[in-house]
Amino acid sequence: MKIKTETGERHVLAVTVDNEAGILAKITGLFSARGYNIESLTVADISADHALSRITIVTSGPPAVIDQIIAQLDRLVPVHQVTDLTDQGAHVEREIALVKVAGTGEKRIEALRLADVFRAKVVDTTLSSFIFEITGNSDKVDRFIALMRECGLVEVGRTGIVAIARGPEAL
């Protein structure tokens, strides 16, 4: 199967679902069955009684495709609400990455200097490596990783996008 790469806008969807086995498979299956790509996917329990989860999905497509995705997600039984944060307006997006860099001498000093500029925290260190934690929008994380390639990048782990609408109202 070929993933459809139609040109279109990037959209961030917040999907509130029942927190039960198989829900994530149903949602990702909906995307894969239609050949649409998920650029980022995060899931978290959001209720005190562990009954609900929130799935944040980043995808791209022309308006008609995004509308179709939202309509199909809304029809799934375990889905309570689908919100297109991109269409809704102002929202905050963040991503966390752990970045392992190995090096000594000048490369080690440069990695620390760049981490300071990007406000990345050192969360682990040895005599020959660091693990940095960086939080921000995806562009910031991408830029930091690109610069760390020159300093001895070894490994990267990323969470994916989490997003929430601005303002006092809940979804």
Side-chain angles (χ1 to χ4, degrees), residues 115-153:
D116 187 49
V117 169
F118 277 82
R119 295 190 179 123
K121 289 186 343 185
V122 175
V123 294
D124 185 65
T125 186
T126 68
L127 293 175
S128 60
S129 68
F130 290 106
I131 297 177
F132 298 106
E133 175 188 303
I134 184 164
T135 304
N137 63 37
S138 291
D139 289 339
K140 176 183 176 182
V141 173
D142 289 340
R143 286 191 315 270
F144 181 72
I145 291 168
L147 289 169
M148 286 297 134
R149 286 191 197 328
E150 302 298 317
C151 296
L153 180 70

Side-chain angles (χ1 to χ4, degrees), residues 108-121:
R108 186 174 175 86
I109 292 166
E110 182 65 7
L112 280 172
R113 187 187 69 74
L114 288 168
D116 187 49
V117 169
F118 277 82
R119 295 190 179 123
K121 289 186 343 185

Side-chain angles (χ1 to χ4, degrees), residues 9 13 19 46 48-49 54 60 68 76-78 81 84 102 129 167:
E9 260 185 23
L13 307 176
N19 188 9
I46 60 168
D49 62 357
R54 178 183 167 130
S60 295
Q68 180 184 25
L76 291 176
V77 172
Q81 182 178 10
D84 185 345
S129 68

